[in-house]
Amino acid sequence: MHILFVEDELKIASFVQAGLKEQGFTVDYCDNGDEGYLRAIEQEYDAIVLDIMLPGKDGLAILKSLRQRKKNTPVILLTARNELDDRLAGLNLGADDYIAKPFFVEELVARLHAVVRRSSGDRQNLLSVGGLQLDRISREVKCNGEIVELTSREFNLLEYLMRSPGRVFTRTQILEHVWGYDFNPNTNIVDVCIQRIRKKVEIVGGWGLIESVRGVGYRFKN
């Protein structure tokens, strides 16, 4: 899943980002409401984790503006434990859930899965192309009925390609989305990861599903 995380407390932000990435999430992070709002309206996310108390545009104002713009991305609010009024206000404005600080990352992960599942439905969480099936919730991949064991990074890369079969993605696009930060453009890390996925899929009969586009990048065959 691709998550937008808006939180100005650096200690909380650090451990949450680390925990989400360990669970296979791709996380875009910002520490103020103005930037968070711009990202939320300009990009598509599977879910948004939004602190209420933020510099700039606060969390409730962001949520209200998103819903007024008919942006229905699932939103989980982070609140202080004793701020009942804020939690109620958030739910009334269209928040999908809230979690009180302090909290365990495992709880946030479970709530993210739940709101995305409710929002998109199980069908959209199951990607199926050319005999290969990828379940975005259980993070299970099958090819011709056989389970394909992938690392977290391999899963995220395969999901990224499968969400837009036939579309060509450059190495830079893949790096930015799957790794979450810029690498040396001359690195071969994308090519190495693609080769590992291909080998694992081909063992169970998934031949030619990921195509190389010379001089550009890769696409998933549609």
Side-chain angles (χ1 to χ4, degrees), residues 18-30:
L20 290 178
K21 289 177 180 179
E22 285 177 0
Q23 293 294 320
F25 291 83
T26 299
V27 182
D28 286 358
Y29 167 71
C30 53

Side-chain angles (χ1 to χ4, degrees), residues 5 43 74 88 97 119 212:
F5 177 41
Q43 300 185 47
L88 293 176
D97 202 351
S119 172
S212 301

Side-chain angles (χ1 to χ4, degrees), residues 6 12 14-15 43 45 56 82 96 104 108 110 118 121 125 140 147 153-155 164 177 199 210 214:
V6 190
I12 293 176
S14 179
F15 88 76
Q43 300 185 47
Y45 293 98
N82 60 347
D96 295 84
F104 292 103
L108 178 58
R118 290 198 301 267
N125 288 319
E140 182 178 78
I147 292 178
R153 192 80 71 186
E154 291 165 357
F155 182 95
S164 302
H177 183 91
K199 287 180 180 179
I210 301 176
R214 188 176 181 134

Side-chain angles (χ1 to χ4, degrees), residues 13-212:
S14 179
F15 88 76
V16 169
Q17 286 186 87
L20 290 178
K21 289 177 180 179
E22 285 177 0
Q23 293 294 320
F25 291 83
T26 299
V27 182
D28 286 358
Y29 167 71
C30 53
D31 61 3
N32 68 85
D34 294 333
E35 181 184 355
Y37 178 64
L38 289 176
R39 290 198 184 196
I41 61 174
E42 292 174 354
Q43 300 185 47
E44 293 298 324
Y45 293 98
D46 293 303
I48 299 171
V49 179
L50 181 62
D51 189 27
I52 286 182
M53 299 298 294
L54 291 168
K57 201 175 182 74
D58 67 53
L60 293 179
I62 293 173
L63 175 62
K64 182 177 180 180
S65 296
L66 290 177
R67 297 308 186 233
Q68 287 176 339
R69 295 174 67 102
K70 307 302 181 185
K71 271 285 217 179
N72 295 318
T73 307
V75 173
I76 296 179
L77 294 175
L78 302 182
T79 73
R81 183 169 296 277
N82 60 347
E83 295 299 331
L84 176 61
D85 289 344
D86 282 345
R87 298 201 293 271
L88 293 176
L91 293 173
N92 288 331
L93 287 172
D96 295 84
D97 202 351
Y98 68 85
I99 187 168
K101 301 177 184 179
F103 56 88
F104 292 103
V105 174
E106 292 82 359
E107 181 183 2
L108 178 58
V109 168
R111 289 174 182 265
L112 280 167
H113 282 308
V115 298
V116 171
R117 191 162 50 238
R118 290 198 301 267
S119 172
S120 61
D122 291 338
R123 181 175 298 180
Q124 291 187 30
N125 288 319
L126 183 65
L127 304 179
S128 182
V129 186
L132 193 67
Q133 288 190 332
L134 181 148
D135 191 318
R136 300 174 64 208
I137 298 299
S138 68
R139 295 183 67 79
E140 182 178 78
V141 175
K142 289 184 178 180
C143 184
N144 298 321
E146 299 288 333
I147 292 178
V148 180
E149 297 289 348
L150 299 179
T151 67
S152 177
R153 192 80 71 186
E154 291 165 357
F155 182 95
N156 291 344
L157 197 162
L158 181 61
E159 179 192 356
Y160 186 47
L161 297 179
M162 287 184 70
R163 288 176 71 170
S164 302
R167 176 182 172 185
V168 179
F169 292 95
T170 67
R171 289 171 176 81
T172 299
Q173 287 175 315
I174 294 171
L175 279 172
E176 290 177 350
H177 183 91
V178 177
W179 275 261
Y181 49 94
D182 293 332
F183 274 70
N184 183 325
N186 297 317
T187 182
N188 69 342
I189 192 170
V190 171
D191 307 278
V192 171
C193 195
I194 289 285
Q195 290 305 315
R196 290 201 304 260
I197 296 171
R198 280 175 169 163
K199 287 180 180 179
K200 292 179 179 181
V201 170
E202 288 173 357
I203 288 174
V204 289
W207 296 94
L209 293 176
I210 301 176
E211 299 178 328
S212 301

